[in-house]
Structure formats: C-alpha cells, structure tokens
Amino acid sequence: VTVLLYQLGGAALFDPDEGRNSEKAREILVLNDWVTPHENFHPVLDKPMFFYWLIVLSYKFFGVSEWSARLPSALAALGCLLIVYRFVDQRWGRWEALWSALILLTCAQFFVLARIVILDMPLTFFLTLALCAFYEAVHCKEARRRQFWCLAMYSALGGATLIKGLVGVVVPGIVFFCYLLLTHRWTALRRMHLVPGALIFVAIALPWYLQADARNVGYLRYFIWDEHFGRFTSENFDRAEPWYYFIAVGVVGFFPWTLTLPFAFKEYWKKNLDEKTLFLMLWVALPFLFFSGSNSKLPHYLLPVFPPLSILTAVGLQSLYRRTETKGKLALSLMWCAQGLAILYLITGARVPAIL
C-alpha cells in the first residue's frame, strides 16, 4: 500500500491521458451529467463512463486533485496484487505467492500504470478477477463456493465491459474457450450458472450503454463498429505498429524481471505442464496474440498479461531455487545488477543531464 500511495499526487498530471481523463471526471461534477463523458464541455464518446465514475467518487471523498484522480488506479493495482497473492497461495504456496506479488508490483509497467490516471489498470483488475474466478469455479467442488466464484466472474466481466467495452469480455472469453478446449472440461459449463450469469452481466453492463445511445443517437453503432472493429482492423487511428511491437513492450515493461524469464521458463521446459500452469500460459499468450493482431497498438494494452506472467516467473524461480540454490541466486543477481545499473544511470544523469 505504501509503495502504491506514497507521493501519488506529487507530480503534475501527464499529457495527454492523465489530463484528459481527470478533466472528463471533473466535468461530470460541473455538468451533473453522469451518462455522457465530456472533454472541454464537448461530448466525447470514445470510452465508456465507469472509469470516470470511479474518479468522481474519489473526488467526492478527497476533493479534486492529482492524488484523488490517481487513487482508483492505485487501488485497482492493490486489488490485482491481492487476487494474485490469494490465487497463488491456494495453488502453489506462501513463498510463491509472496514472490508473485513482489514481481508484479515492481515490474516497470505495472508500477507506472498503477500511479497514473488511465483506464487499463482498473480493466486489468476486473480481467484478473474474472480469470481467477473462472478457474476457481471450474475446479470448485462445493456448490455454494462455486456460486460465489461464478458471481464474482460474471460481475467482473460486466465491470470490465463497462470500463473499456467489448475487450472486457472478448479477451477473457478467448482464454476460457481455449482452456476448456485443451483440458476437455466442457462439462464444467453445466455448473457455471450460464443463464443467471448472463443476466448479471447484462444488468451491470447494458443499462449505461442504452442510456448513452438514447441521449446520443447512433452511439452504439459508432462505439461498437468504429471504436472496436475500426481500431482493430484499420490504420486510420495512427497507432499501427509492427507485429513485434508488444515483444519490445513486454521486455521493457517487465523490467527488471525480464532477465529472469529464461531461468524461470527453462524450469517449465523440463516438466509436464499441469492444468494451472497451462491456464496461466494461455492467459499470457492469447491476449498477447490478440493485441498483436490489432492495427491499433499502445504500450498499456499489454498490461493484462503481467499478472499471469508474474506468477509464472515466481513459480519458476522458486522451483529453480529449491532445485539448485546457486542458479537461483544467479538469476536474482542478474536482475538486481540490471536494476542497480539503471539507478546508477539516473543518479549520474541527475548530475550530468546531457547523458539523459
């Protein structure tokens, strides 16, 4: 909590995303319009409203400031850490859970996006909750606990859809489908309360979209077609990047733990994959491929793969360390050396700005 909240409001809002998102939320208070997002008092309908509601709630409690605008992202990041810790603790153990949370918190992209006003951290929280709840529901034998996890899953899918549109249900849906396909667990669908779950999802996600379309005629057609299929298939949004773009984003974004990935994944190479590891690998690979296939690419799109990647890295390193302590220490020492060099570079640059 201290790492996420310390000096959260110390820096001014960064352009363009932080200023734009914070102002959209402020104008909800000014206009008292909780349906249509406004930017500079003009309707801007490229994103749903839920994220701005979260910022407004923070404004209501703590006043309008950089700190309160960033608080929803920080709390969503904290939620991700808690979900990851609990998921790993239940399936691997306490040390793997602690390392998973530490790796996730300290990888560069997750830490940075936890402290800025951007939709992707709350989206990642809901996706992480939905995917972990799905796995729990599939493997849970007790009916009441399964109902609880199904409720959490459908609610999280509704929240994710209300944060950023269809991507909130399509991305986890691909993982759900491929996991059930590869593990031959289709019979689990009979116990997933599909009809009540669909009603819960619709009750959460649909009302705002219908209201927005009623007040802004043609909104749903624009949002679904232009903002989803148009961005995915067209280069008109000036966000086209080469196919390997997210490889570079992942290498930089997972720093300094990127250097430990070869050691961690070498451990998996030697073993037969169990279902929980397969699930995590699908969770990393399928969203990565989905976003790589889009003609609209931004670095923060990759954020949802960092929770499972952190778990895989932590479990692999713990396995390596238990098998051969020397190699485990070598993997960690490379990571600390890289981080030490980065800190040395910044300290030197503070005294000699030209090298920056």
Side-chain angles (χ1 to χ4, degrees):
V1 175
T2 302
V3 172
L4 292 172
L5 298 184
Y6 178 72
Q7 288 291 306
L8 188 62
L13 296 173
F14 296 104
D15 285 330
D17 287 339
E18 281 204 300
R20 177 170 56 226
N21 292 333
S22 301
E23 175 61 14
K24 285 181 180 178
R26 191 189 70 86
E27 290 180 18
I28 294 175
L29 295 175
V30 175
L31 299 173
N32 198 30
D33 186 345
W34 296 79
V35 175
T36 304
H38 288 76
E39 183 179 343
N40 297 325
F41 300 100
H42 293 282
V44 178
L45 293 158
D46 58 333
K47 296 293 186 293
M49 198 66 161
F50 188 31
F51 180 59
Y52 308 122
W53 290 342
L54 296 176
I55 301 173
V56 171
L57 187 63
S58 182
Y59 285 167
K60 288 277 193 179
F61 278 103
F62 304 107
V64 178
S65 69
E66 289 89 345
W67 187 90
S68 55
R70 290 171 177 145
L71 184 61
S73 293
L75 294 180
L78 178 61
C80 287
L81 294 172
L82 293 174
I83 294 168
V84 164
Y85 177 85
R86 191 242 172 232
F87 183 81
V88 180
D89 187 38
Q90 293 287 315
R91 279 167 174 75
W92 281 278
R94 183 61 52 86
W95 278 107
E96 286 85 351
L98 289 169
W99 275 105
S100 297
L102 176 66
I103 291 171
L104 181 59
L105 175 62
T106 55
C107 69
Q109 189 176 38
F110 185 88
F111 177 76
V112 170
L113 295 184
R115 296 171 58 86
I116 65 175
V117 190
I118 199 164
L119 289 81
D120 296 83
M121 187 56 73
L123 173 68
T124 298
F125 165 75
F126 283 117
L127 294 182
T128 302
L129 176 58
L131 285 155
C132 289
F134 166 79
Y135 191 89
E136 295 277 4
V138 168
H139 292 270
C140 187
K141 295 180 180 179
E142 185 183 336
R144 182 160 295 185
R145 288 190 64 212
R146 190 186 309 116
Q147 288 177 354
F148 170 79
W149 288 116
C150 286
L151 174 63
M153 178 185 70
Y154 294 120
S155 299
L157 291 173
T161 305
L162 206 51
I163 285 280
K164 211 170 182 181
L166 294 180
V167 70
V169 70
V170 170
V171 169
I174 295 171
V175 180
F176 297 165
F177 175 82
C178 291
Y179 175 75
L180 294 174
L181 177 67
L182 294 177
T183 58
H184 308 289
R185 285 188 172 272
W186 294 111
T187 55
L189 292 176
R190 300 173 187 169
R191 306 187 299 273
M192 297 293 283
H193 306 286
L194 293 177
V195 174
L199 294 176
I200 292 170
F201 171 81
V202 167
I204 292 172
L206 194 58
W208 175 80
Y209 284 101
L210 294 178
Q211 270 197 302
D213 190 62
R215 290 198 186 182
N216 306 274
V217 178
Y219 166 70
L220 282 178
R221 187 213 61 80
Y222 161 76
F223 185 69
I224 293 174
W225 183 253
D226 293 351
E227 288 293 330
H228 285 77
F229 295 102
R231 283 182 183 272
F232 194 89
T233 59
S234 171
E235 297 183 2
N236 295 334
F237 290 86
D238 295 325
R239 292 177 180 174
E241 299 289 349
W243 62 268
Y244 53 83
Y245 176 76
F246 283 119
I247 297 176
V249 170
V251 169
V252 175
F254 204 57
F255 182 86
W257 300 96
T258 313
L259 297 176
T260 67
L261 287 177
F263 295 91
F265 280 87
K266 188 177 180 181
E267 289 296 295
Y268 296 110
W269 187 261
K270 300 174 182 178
K271 302 175 182 178
N272 293 323
L273 294 183
D274 54 22
E275 282 197 21
K276 56 193 177 187
T277 304
L278 173 64
F279 178 71
L280 291 173
M281 288 188 169
L282 291 173
W283 185 354
V284 172
L286 295 175
F288 179 88
L289 293 173
F290 176 82
F291 290 118
S292 294
S294 172
N295 279 318
S296 181
K297 296 183 178 72
L298 289 173
H300 45 263
Y301 290 177
L302 198 61
L303 185 63
V305 310
F306 282 83
L309 187 59
S310 298
I311 299 172
L312 289 170
T313 305
V315 173
L317 289 178
Q318 272 296 107
S319 173
L320 174 65
Y321 192 84
R322 287 170 179 157
R323 188 171 56 81
T324 166
E325 186 174 315
T326 303
K327 288 186 177 180
K329 289 182 177 179
L330 173 62
L332 293 176
S333 67
L334 285 175
M335 187 273 297
W336 293 121
C337 285
Q339 193 156 8
L341 289 173
I343 292 170
L344 179 62
Y345 172 70
L346 294 173
I347 292 173
T348 307
R351 297 185 64 86
V352 187
I355 73 165
L356 296 178

